[in-house]
Each structure stands twice: as C-alpha cells, then as structure tokens.
Amino acid sequence: MMPIIGGVIGLVMGRKIGGEGSSRLNIRSMRWSVVMISMELYEVVINGVKKEVRMWEWMREGVERVECGVIEEREVVEMMWMVVVVGSIVEEYSRWYMKEEGERVRFMSIVSIFIGSMLILVGSENMLQMYIGWEGIGVCSYILISYWSSRSETSKAGMKAMVINRIGDMGIMLGIGKGYVSYGSVSYGVMKSVVIEEDRIMGIMIIMGVMTKSSQMGMQTWLSDAMEGPTPVSALIHAATLVTAGVYVVIRMEGIIGGKEIMIGIGGGSIVYIGMLGVYAQDIKKIIAYSTGSQLGYMVLSVGVESSNNSISHVINHGMVKGMLFMSAGGIIHSRKEEQDIRKMGGGVMRVSKMGVIIGSMGIMGIEYSSGYESKEEIIRESSMSRYGEISSELGVCITSYYSIRMIKRVIVSEGKKRREEEEEEGMKRSIMWMSIIGVIIGYMKREWEREEWEEEIGKKEKEMMMIGVVLGIYKEKIKGRRIGRWIGKKWYNEVWQNRWIGRRVEEMCREIVEGIDRKILEECGGKGSREMMEVMERVVRRRGNVSKYGIGMVIGIIMWGWSCG
Amino acid sequence: MGNQVSMPAARAAPFAPNLTHKQRVTRLYRHALRTARDWEPDFDLFVKDAEKIQARFKKNKNLTIQEGQRLVEAGLRELISNRHPEPYIPPFAPGGTAYQRNVPCPPEDVNDLLPPPERRIR
C-alpha cells in the first residue's frame, strides 16, 4: 500500500509541495516498499516460509467468502520484488528525465498508484482482487500514455491502448464468472484443490486477456503506439509490469485453465510475427517495444509447454533488462533533443546510456552470463517438446539478434553527424547503472545456482541462429524489399483489416442503434414523446373550461382515499 | 496520384495540385533525395545514390514541356513505389515524435489581442 499512499498524498498535496516535493515523496515511499519486500523475499525464498495475510472480508456468498489480502509464495514475492525494484529505479530516473516538464505531480503520483495496483494484482489470492489491480493498471496506463495530451497522436494512442485492452478485460471478467460457475469459488487455492479437469473455455477467456495485455499477435498494435508516452512510462509499464500481467495471471492459474495448445500457437506466432516488425522499425523505442512483444511470446510459449517456472524467471529477467534498455534509450533521446530515429544517431558521448544499450541487448539476445541467458535457454530447451514451438523459438533467436545488432550498430558504432548534445543527467546515469548492476548480478546468480546439464545439441543450434542474426545485422542492415517492407511497415496490415472488418461494421451497427432505437423509439417513448403528449393534453384541457377543476378534484380525492387506506 | 497511397504529410509535397512544372520538378528532386536518405543511413553511401539521382535529372535537363511532364509523372510513380515505410521526420516538425508536445496555453486576455468581430476571418 505504500506506493498508493505516496501517490494519493502526492496528488492531494501536490500544489503545496510542488513537482520536486512530489517526486521525493514518491521515491521515498517506493524505497520503503523495496526494503519491506526484500525482507519478505528473504523469508519466503531463502527460508522457505509461505505466508498469507488476510486483511478484510470483501463479500460473502453462502459459504464462499472473498477476502482481500496478500499471499506470499515464492513466485509472488519474486515478482513483487521485481516490480518495486524496477519501479523505484524508474521513479528516480523520472525525477531527472521529467525535470523540465509540467504536471510532474500528476505524473509521479500516477506512476506510484500504478505500481500499487500492480502489487495488488500480483499479491492477490483471488481473481476478484486480481481484477481490481488489472483495471487499476489499465487506467493508470491510459493516463500515463496520454501525458502529452496536447498532441493528437498521443491522445489517440492512449485511447487505442484503452480500447484494445477492454477486449481482454471483458475476457477476464467472463473468465472470472466461468471460474465461479465451474469451481464454485474465485480463490486460486480453492479452485486448484477442487479441479478435476482443466477448464478449456475458461482458459480461452483468460487467454483473451493475455493476448491484449501482453500484446500478442493480432493485438499488438497498441504497444508501438504507446511509445508516445514518456520514456519512463515505457520502461516501467511497457517493459516490466503491465505487459507481463497477462502472463503472470496465466502462470498463477496453471492447473486450473486449459487451452495450452492455443498458448503455444499464440506464443510461437508472436515471437516471429512481432519480432519481424522490429526489422524495419527505425524509431528506437518502437524497436524495443516490438522486442518486448516478441519476448512475451517466449513467456506465453513457455506456459503453453507447461514450464511456468521458466516463464516467471524470464518475466523477471526480461523486466530488469528491458527496463534498463528503455532507460538507456531515453538517456540517448534526452541528450539528442528528442531525436528517436536510429538513422540520426551514432557518434557522441553518452557512455553510460550506450553501455546500457549494449548490456540490455546482450540480455535480450541471450548471450552467456547475461541476465536473460538462463531463462531464455530453458524456454528454448522446453519448447523443443513441440516442433512448432522449437522452430519459432529458434527463428526468434535469429530475429532478436538481427534487430539488436542493427540497433547497436546505428546507435553506438556508426559515426553520426556531429550535433549539439548534452551528457546525461547524473540521476539518470545512476539509475541506468543500478539497473545494469542488479540485472547482471541476477543473471550471474541464476546461471550459477540453477545450472543444469543440457544436451549440447540445443545450445549449439541456438548459437548458430544467433550468429546468423548477428552477421545479417552487421552486413545486411538495409533490406530494401519494397513489398515486404511495406507489409511490415504497415504492421502486417493488422490495423487496416481490423478497421475494415471489425471497426467499420461495429461503427455502422452503433449508428443504426443510435438513430433507429435511441433517437426514434426511446425518444418517442421517453422525454420527447412525453413532452408532446403533455402539450396535447394541455391544449385539450384548456379548451374545456371546467375540466381542469375536475382534474384537480380527482387528484385530491385519490390522495385522500390513499391516506385513509394507509 | 499521391492520394491513392498512404504517406505522411511530410512526403506529400510533390503531389500537391496546381503546381508549375518547375515546382513539380524541384519537389520531385528534393523528395527523391529524401527517400534515398530514408533508405541509406550511412552518409557516404547515400552520397553515391544522390549522385546517381542528380545525374538522371541533369541528363533530362533540356527537354520540351510535354516530355518533361511525362517524365515527372513517371518519376512520381517511381517515388511512390520506392517510398520507405517509416520516412524520417524531424522530431519537432509536423508528424514528428515531439510535435505539439507542450503547447503553451493561450493567455487569459486573448480577446484583447484579436481584431474586432466584424474584421475577423471566419
């Protein structure tokens, strides 16, 4: 609750304490959260204690009680730790990145409230509390994406994120209802104890939520447009927290919901489908966004092949690495006066940001001893159970290496035109360095502690695909295929088809409803019709001199009769 | 011709109506160079493409108006087919990533700065 308390106080007292005061308040509340959750992490992960904190009873339906609280299992506490650590580092980063922006009070407070909502989602013991956190992060995401609301593209991007995520929200709501009907409860523990067979229909409904929130194939258009928001928003929300919420919910519901083959299909397809969009992207933030969508495909694929441990591990590693990548990109953008196109980058100083880009890209590619190596290797190994999963995960390695090397080449290696630029702020440098250190340490520790003997065959194939991607990224950066370029540049014509087949038809249907039912039938029966009827009655009554007196007498008589009966 | 395909406003200038022939040629040349720059980030390699484009325009310098217009039409079609899916637009230019980000609020007494109602353009 500390982040939410800090955010609400910041909003209420913002005028008095100002932007700087609000930033400090929110950063301090986040640091307290890091300390407290680190203590819980030690108890739960190291000492093996399992805790359940029940705060209050929300509702009761017969014997079924819904209680609000926090459950502290290993995966829950690890995820919470990642959320608060990334959140506190990003808030520190935001203090410097947004130093010259107006409305910092609103920004910092909403970021804190977002983190609080995410913690509610992660720590929930039942689906209803999870849904409160789910909606909270959706609303905060909309507010933060639309931060620069004077720009029309930004407002549209926020609206698009909200509208597309509503589809998933509807799926989650239906899933909650189906879960209650099937298992008689919304509590994860109760559902797991009574399950006989996994509920496939419930799984399909929950997968709708995963597809939209985690930006999987077909529903990924909102994520690239969400880069309209400030870079700290991208680092926190679109790398580490909101986009992983869908995957996390599915991991928590393992054993309850079915549809694993659907997850394999969607995850494997997203790895290639969304990864290819990064091949032609020129905006550095969009390249990283498409990379996020592709890596989320790995996580969904991993859940589909029943390897949830690896999935949660990759969620945590990826969150740290991607957050760092976004912050480093933000440092470069800030120093280059808001230039985001990689064709105009290159040269310059910005050592810390460039180091962050290199370390982050290594983690995403899965190079040995980097943060993302261990979890990604495990997922690729497990996905070899399914031929489709194996091919898509290996192709994904090649595509990831390609766009990562292309980005490093453009941003760091190439000699750009000499332009006026500034060195990054000290606060931003500190944040990037902290995130790098934590990410590298976690990657090394996981590699050493959880090392397994793998078949050499798998590791070798992955290395070959990585080398192909690296070589293509260095020597064949410019793929000038006109048709394929246009297809990918138009995001596989996703939006065009969605508008043509769904958007326009829904719009026509809504117009018919508004004009046919709302403006004709309801108005005639409602306000407009009543008004006309009263006017007619008034004209009739006025013509007959004594009718009004008879009417009043009748009304008085009815009231007196009613009074005498009562 | 340009309204049959989707392109950002920053690349639509050659397709504007009611241009003189000279305007169409100069706009076509400028946008051909910009399109080549979109595809080639390395300046050294871009210079080679730019020299080829310049040579093509210089070769057709002294033609009649009819032949020139025919070539301009062909050039515009080639420009459309070669367009980049994400052309470069400066951040603070219209269509750029930072355009209209922090628009200053109008002053409260803005009505004092406007001309009288009968002289305002509607």
Side-chain angles (χ1 to χ4, degrees):
Chain A
M1 297 302 291
M2 288 294 294
I4 293 184
I5 292 169
V8 169
I9 293 175
L11 272 178
V12 168
M13 296 181 57
R15 277 186 190 268
K16 281 195 179 165
I17 57 178
E20 190 60 27
S22 172
S23 304
R24 285 176 203 244
L25 171 70
N26 285 299
I27 290 168
R28 278 186 192 143
S29 67
M30 282 308 305
R31 284 180 185 164
W32 265 115
S33 303
V34 171
V35 167
M36 290 192 310
I37 292 181
S38 301
M39 286 162 50
E40 296 299 320
L41 183 80
Y42 177 78
E43 277 202 44
V44 173
V45 176
I46 309 294
N47 292 344
V49 172
K50 186 179 164 181
K51 278 193 204 174
E52 198 169 328
V53 177
R54 293 177 191 270
M55 289 181 190
W56 67 85
E57 186 181 290
W58 182 8
M59 57 179 92
R60 185 191 278 262
E61 175 67 30
V63 297
E64 170 63 16
R65 287 191 312 178
V66 178
E67 291 178 332
C68 290
V70 179
I71 185 162
E72 293 183 12
E73 295 171 346
R74 186 192 168 112
E75 61 202 19
V76 173
V77 178
E78 282 179 352
M79 184 76 176
M80 285 170 107
W81 187 82
M82 187 271 287
V83 168
V84 294
V85 165
V86 173
S88 70
I89 295 176
V90 166
E91 283 212 337
E92 174 71 35
Y93 179 85
S94 308
R95 184 181 162 203
W96 302 100
Y97 192 89
M98 308 293 285
K99 200 168 64 162
E100 286 158 11
E101 298 287 341
E103 298 188 43
R104 263 200 304 165
V105 168
R106 177 167 63 104
F107 180 83
M108 297 299 284
S109 303
I110 299 292
V111 167
S112 290
I113 294 173
F114 171 88
I115 296 168
S117 303
M118 188 70 195
L119 291 174
I120 291 174
L121 185 154
V122 169
S124 62
E125 191 273 334
N126 59 73
M127 293 186 78
L128 280 177
Q129 184 184 328
M130 179 275 290
Y131 191 69
I132 291 179
W134 183 279
E135 288 287 350
I137 60 177
V139 168
C140 292
S141 156
Y142 164 71
I143 296 170
L144 290 169
I145 292 171
S146 316
Y147 178 72
W148 285 305
S149 51
S150 55
R151 183 177 148 79
S152 61
E153 298 298 331
T154 305
S155 303
K156 280 191 240 174
M159 191 56 71
K160 189 193 251 187
M162 190 68 151
V163 166
I164 292 180
N165 278 292
R166 285 322 284 169
I167 302 170
D169 297 348
M170 184 188 70
I172 294 283
M173 265 199 322
L174 291 172
I176 293 171
K178 183 69 174 64
Y180 186 71
V181 165
S182 302
Y183 300 112
S185 174
V186 293
S187 161
Y188 295 129
V190 173
M191 284 196 277
K192 281 182 186 171
S193 62
V194 303
V195 68
I196 299 170
E197 195 184 338
E198 288 173 349
D199 191 334
R200 194 184 169 79
I201 295 176
M202 186 182 173
I204 291 171
M205 292 167 182
I206 300 290
I207 287 169
M208 275 171 67
V210 175
M211 279 187 75
T212 56
K213 208 65 138 189
S214 298
S215 163
Q216 296 297 281
M217 56 188 270
M219 300 287 186
Q220 84 284 358
T221 51
W222 71 270
L223 188 61
S224 59
D225 287 2
M227 298 300 114
E228 289 284 338
T231 307
V233 169
S234 307
L236 177 63
I237 293 181
H238 305 125
T241 48
L242 179 134
V243 292
T244 56
V247 178
Y248 177 78
V249 165
V250 168
I251 291 170
R252 288 299 300 277
M253 302 191 73
E254 198 192 8
I256 303 171
I257 55 172
K260 294 273 170 25
E261 58 281 357
I262 301 174
M263 284 189 237
I264 293 174
I266 289 171
S270 301
I271 294 170
V272 178
Y273 189 86
I274 302 176
M276 285 298 290
L277 295 176
V279 166
Y280 265 91
Q282 306 294 333
D283 184 333
I284 189 171
K285 285 176 70 175
K286 287 192 179 168
I287 296 173
I288 303 172
Y290 291 134
S291 170
T292 301
S294 181
Q295 297 300 312
L296 287 162
Y298 275 103
M299 295 169 211
V300 174
L301 173 67
S302 174
V303 179
V305 296
E306 295 181 359
S307 175
S308 299
N309 287 338
N310 296 325
S311 189
I312 196 78
S313 187
H314 198 53
V315 164
I316 293 165
N317 290 339
H318 172 264
M320 318 241 32
V321 163
K322 229 5 124 33
M324 180 180 59
L325 205 46
F326 265 116
M327 291 200 297
S328 308
I332 296 172
I333 291 168
H334 202 65
S335 304
R336 289 242 182 219
K337 309 286 181 220
E338 311 304 329
E339 181 61 75
Q340 290 183 193
D341 199 306
I342 57 171
R343 289 170 290 197
K344 299 296 178 184
M345 290 184 180
V349 198
M350 296 168 282
R351 290 179 200 94
V352 175
S353 299
K354 289 182 178 176
M355 176 202 74
V357 168
I358 292 174
I359 295 177
S361 299
M362 281 168 58
I364 294 301
M365 286 161 63
I367 293 178
E368 199 155 349
Y369 284 103
S370 65
S371 179
Y373 170 66
E374 181 262 339
S375 52
K376 198 168 174 183
E377 287 283 321
E378 289 274 3
I379 291 173
I380 294 171
R381 186 171 70 96
E382 294 289 333
S383 64
S384 59
M385 283 168 45
S386 148
R387 186 78 186 135
Y388 169 79
E390 187 186 359
I391 293 172
S392 50
S393 58
E394 282 166 11
L395 262 179
V397 170
C398 180
I399 295 169
T400 306
S401 306
Y402 175 81
Y403 58 65
S404 299
I405 290 296
R406 187 172 78 101
M407 189 170 66
I408 291 175
K409 186 183 165 191
R410 279 290 127 222
V411 171
I412 297 167
V413 175
S414 69
E415 282 185 21
K417 191 175 164 182
K418 283 201 184 342
R419 329 180 124 78
R420 261 189 68 223
E421 63 183 29
E422 296 163 356
E423 192 69 45
E424 312 102 308
E425 297 269 0
E426 284 304 315
M428 286 161 62
K429 277 190 208 175
R430 258 198 318 268
S431 306
I432 296 169
M433 283 173 65
W434 268 115
M435 194 77 110
S436 318
I437 292 167
I438 294 172
V440 166
I441 290 173
I442 287 177
Y444 182 78
M445 278 163 53
K446 278 184 170 283
R447 177 83 173 91
E448 290 301 311
W449 287 356
E450 297 176 21
R451 190 201 300 240
E452 288 182 26
E453 296 295 328
W454 299 330
E455 297 175 22
E456 270 207 21
E457 201 60 42
I458 306 289
K460 212 176 175 187
K461 218 183 289 184
E462 195 214 11
K463 284 184 175 80
E464 284 167 7
M465 296 305 286
M466 196 189 296
M467 286 317 297
I468 293 172
V470 166
V471 167
L472 281 175
I474 295 173
Y475 293 108
K476 194 68 184 164
E477 185 198 339
K478 188 175 74 172
I479 302 178
K480 201 176 173 181
R482 292 170 200 169
R483 291 236 170 121
I484 184 84
R486 213 147 294 128
W487 268 80
I488 297 175
K490 282 281 184 190
K491 302 170 196 169
W492 301 109
Y493 283 87
N494 237 135
E495 287 173 333
V496 173
W497 288 337
Q498 280 170 355
N499 272 337
R500 195 176 293 174
W501 293 105
I502 302 172
R504 277 189 204 165
R505 287 175 189 204
V506 170
E507 196 185 1
E508 279 165 20
M509 190 175 74
C510 290
R511 194 173 298 130
E512 280 169 21
I513 290 171
V514 165
E515 286 176 9
I517 298 175
D518 203 32
R519 285 191 188 149
K520 283 191 181 151
I521 298 172
L522 290 179
E523 281 210 12
E524 292 300 325
C525 297
K528 186 176 163 206
S530 314
R531 182 174 56 83
E532 284 171 0
M533 195 173 71
M534 292 306 289
E535 281 173 0
V536 165
M537 279 177 61
E538 191 200 8
R539 279 199 296 271
V540 165
V541 166
R542 271 207 193 143
R543 268 190 238 134
R544 307 273 188 267
N546 289 328
V547 170
S548 58
K549 291 175 194 163
Y550 300 151
I552 293 168
M554 203 165 78
V555 167
I556 293 171
I558 289 171
I559 291 170
M560 288 183 68
W561 173 73
W563 182 54
S564 64
C565 291
Chain B
M1 189 196 299
N3 58 4
Q4 291 157 12
V5 297
S6 67
M7 65 173 71
R11 292 285 185 272
F15 305 96
N18 303 325
L19 295 174
T20 62
H21 179 70
K22 183 179 174 183
Q23 280 174 326
R24 292 181 86 195
V25 171
T26 50
R27 287 184 184 199
L28 176 63
Y29 179 63
R30 197 165 64 245
H31 280 80
L33 289 178
R34 284 187 187 161
T35 302
R37 192 74 174 104
D38 288 339
W39 285 106
E40 190 51 75
D42 285 320
F43 188 74
D44 305 330
L45 298 173
F46 159 70
V47 165
K48 293 182 186 166
D49 292 337
E51 284 169 357
K52 286 181 196 164
I53 294 169
Q54 190 186 42
R56 283 177 74 182
F57 273 79
K58 276 192 173 169
K59 193 176 79 170
N60 299 311
K61 196 173 163 185
N62 299 313
L63 297 176
T64 60
I65 284 286
Q66 290 82 11
E67 283 170 352
Q69 282 175 350
R70 191 178 47 81
L71 278 180
V72 164
E73 294 289 321
L76 289 174
R77 278 192 290 273
E78 194 177 332
L79 191 66
I80 289 174
S81 67
N82 278 338
R83 69 191 191 283
H84 194 281
E86 279 195 35
Y88 174 71
I89 299 171
F92 291 96
T97 50
Y99 180 60
Q100 284 183 328
R101 251 187 202 173
N102 286 313
V103 176
C105 295
E108 284 175 10
D109 53 352
V110 69
N111 282 326
D112 295 341
L113 303 173
L114 292 173
E118 59 272 14
R119 288 179 52 198
R120 283 182 208 170
I121 299 168
R122 299 234 175 250

